[in-house]
Amino acid sequence: MSALDAIAPPPSPTAEPTGEAGLGPWAAAWRRLRRNPSGIVGAVVVGLFVLVAVLAPLLAPYQPATGEWFGEVTPTAVPGPSADHVLGLDSFGSDLLTQLLYGARSSLVIGVVSTAVGLAVGAVLGILAGGLGGWVDTLVMRIVDILLSIPSLLLAVSVAAVLGRGQWSIMLAISAAQVPIFARLLRASLLAQRGQDYVVALRSLGLRQRRIVVGHMLPNSLGPVLVQATLVLATAVIEVAALSFLGLGAADPAVAEWGRMLVTAQDRLEQAPQLALYPGLAIAVTALGFTLLGEALREALDPRSDR
Amino acid sequence: MLTLIVRRLGLLVLVLFGLSLLLFAWVRALPGDPARALLGEKATPAGIAEITARYGFDRPVWQQYLTYLGRLLRGDFGASINTGEPVLSTFAQRFPATIELAVAALLLAVVVGVPLGYLAARRRGGLLDNLAVGGSLLGVVVPVFFLAVLLKYVLSIWLGWFPTSGRQDARIDATHITGFYVLDGLLTREWDASWDALKHLVLPALALGSIPLAIIVRITRASVLEVLSEDHVRTARAKGLARGVISRRHILRNALLPVSTTLGLQAGALLSGAVLTETVFSINGIGSYLFDAVNQLDYPVLQGFILFIALVYALVNLVVDVSYGVIDPRVRVS
Amino acid sequence: MSPSLLEVEDLRVTFSRRGQPSTTAVDGVSFSVDAGEVVGLVGESGCGKSVTSLAVMGLLPSRGTTVTGSVRFDGTDLLTMAPGQLASRRGKDLAMVFQDPMTSLNPVLTLGRQLTEVLRAHTDLDRAARKAEALDLLGRVGIPDPRRRLGEYPHQLSGGMRQRVLIAIALACSPRLIIADEPTTALDVTIQAQVLDLLTTLVRESGTAMVLITHDLGVVAGTCDRVNVLYAGRVVESASRHDLFARPRHRYTSGLLAAVPRVDAPEGSPLQPVPGSVRDRLEWDAGCAFLPRCGRGDDACRTGGIPLAPTATDLALSPGNPDHEARCVHPAGATT
């Protein structure tokens, strides 16, 4: 649905007539963002997530994926919370809390890197298509059509299958699925601006096409791109988990990945439902944080939009 | 209208052609000998020789592509490395389970989502509206596979209300005609078989339905709000029509147009979600087939899968576009 | 004197939104319409004329809107009527023609459907009879080839044609009153006169009364029997068309008239725009709302509750003309 919204990008930030006079569009947006309670919640969740991911080695009580206490795990029971292990152990005998904290780390790295790559490639394609037009546009958009004709998860699956297992292939897989989203967004935004009076005016002033696109049109597309990137990060966190759930993550099943943890938890669902609950909640809360923040950004940048 | 269909079909051919090129390049790009890659770990010299001859890996690349394309056109998608079964016939055999699941999920989402979105919009800002908006946000952020695991734990392992896995109890002697088990039971009047299949279907459909449900609620709500602010609704009220007539004919009918297009876009999400849901509930659909293929790097199955999904996806979208034209006269004429 | 068909008395409409001060769009409007009479409501945008019409029709959103006063139609108060009961009279006894024909028709229903559904809601005609009636209506509003048009959709028609369809819909059940809210504003200038002519002709033929809402004095000049001039949510002048144009009393009315370009004006005489905007206003309780824009104001204008009072047609001869009222302390044309 966020991809759909992207086709008709929200207009660039504009200051409201009352109360915000004298503020630039970005300052006005910032002010609206700070007044949006769900945006604050989102920002706090995202902030915590990033903090945990970055500081995982400091926060975690143990090393991840050690299997140190494997002897304590029996075929019928996984030890629950204790003084040494706040959340208990996982089914491979590692500390569950440690696994969760390091899971945030891998989600963040994969999510951010893949979104950055997806954004970069998508942006280049979109700018080429929207800025140059003509046959370049046609060619780029046909490629995008083909990419869009495969559901994003399956696209990611096939990319990951080509590259083999591992975190790198998950990253590339997810960025491949994001490329068409950003390409369309930028193209649509540039095309919408191309006919506007200010662009015609710049052209009449004799500015080069490249100057106009880079210096004037792109900055106007920044808002929608920022919103989309935040929303895409939410999807990326879920897709990272989905791909590792499907077995495309690291080959070692004991490694700290939320999706992978959920898969292995299924075998012991009856004895130890907490093994599924925590990583699942972690994924959902993180995705919620990015979604809330993204939607708050959208509202802040486009005062007319409503939910 | 006709030109629309023709143009979309043309685009479909183009997309499939592009995909086949990509997929062909994919196998060629695999490290090492392509015949070995296709055979996987079980490769024997004889097997490699046979595959090399059959796929023409010793001939020039463009000839290889043409042979590949020719086989695709004849419906030969290759055979699974693991089972040796032809990919296409396995799909045909497993597809009904996935379709049944997807249709049930979509049905659930539409039946619950449209009225919910409509009521939320009519009572904007009320309790129901807040619940619907909040709930649909949850539906978007809670991953399907987590919801599936959760439902499975609470409703079948803990409370024991529903079976934990499969499509039908093995002890039931059911006749299968269409491959849609619920429907089969109804057709053969084996009510218990149908009932049992339905019980097996509830949890997976709930889990899978959460994605389209969340989206349908949001879009219906937004769309109804937009229609409500339009002038023609005021005209309808000025005509003194009954409330029900205004709601159905002038609000809901207009509001459902955008909803129907999103349904088509949901096809992709549903297929992706089906892969994950089937895994959790051990349903023998194409989702679990893909899961196995991914884990065993069964290239012919993966290749065939992607082509197949792209085809299905494109056809669904074509149908949706055409039906959109039927409902919306503005599209039909222009 | 028998009571009028429509009597609006002291109508007030207040909009309140959470977290914002409430705004009063209509601030005690009173006017009446006799059967078969065409009455104009004139004023700048924002003066409350559209809100007045929606309040009469009961079409304002129920949430956040407070409507007080009374709207008596044929003796019964529409404001206190149950919503369902009011709905059954809308489209039948009182109908409305809206400003924007481009958006006022449902884009996904055929014109035939939109025409016949009014008939279906308010008459006992069967399907065939409704269709025949719809054909007749389309013919009466001057739509060529009505049979074909019945099966067409709004986007296949031009704006002028759509407005004709909306007029046909309004006339369908032979209502006793039609409210036309800026019926020609959204149309091309060349079409405006045609549609206005059609509307007035049809109304006069069928003896239907009409409230014509417009900001355009030119529209009023050719059509109305009586004219009410609105300013800041109140009627400031009410007169027959002839009296109003010949002897405007309220300073706002005279200002409006001076702002209309005239062919017969002496060459070189400049137009006199009314200075300021509707935003520059006084609360009616504090005096004359028009005071900040009026050139003639003095302290006498700063007292609240200036009444809508009969004015003298000719100050020297008669004491007052009950049919020409103005809400002004220093009416134009009076010796100062």
Side-chain angles (χ1 to χ4, degrees), chain B residues 3-4 13 25 52 121 126 133 152 178 183 185 199 201 210 215 232 327:
Chain B
T3 46
L4 172 80
V13 170
T52 307
V133 170
K152 184 175 165 178
T178 58
L183 188 67
K199 275 200 296 193
L201 193 57
S210 70
I215 291 168
H232 67 81
I327 326 174

Side-chain angles (χ1 to χ4, degrees), chain A residues 69-91:
Chain A
W69 302 276
F70 190 63
E72 292 174 35
V73 179
T74 65
T76 51
V78 180
S82 64
D84 287 344
H85 306 286
V86 182
L87 295 179
L89 298 178
D90 73 359
S91 51

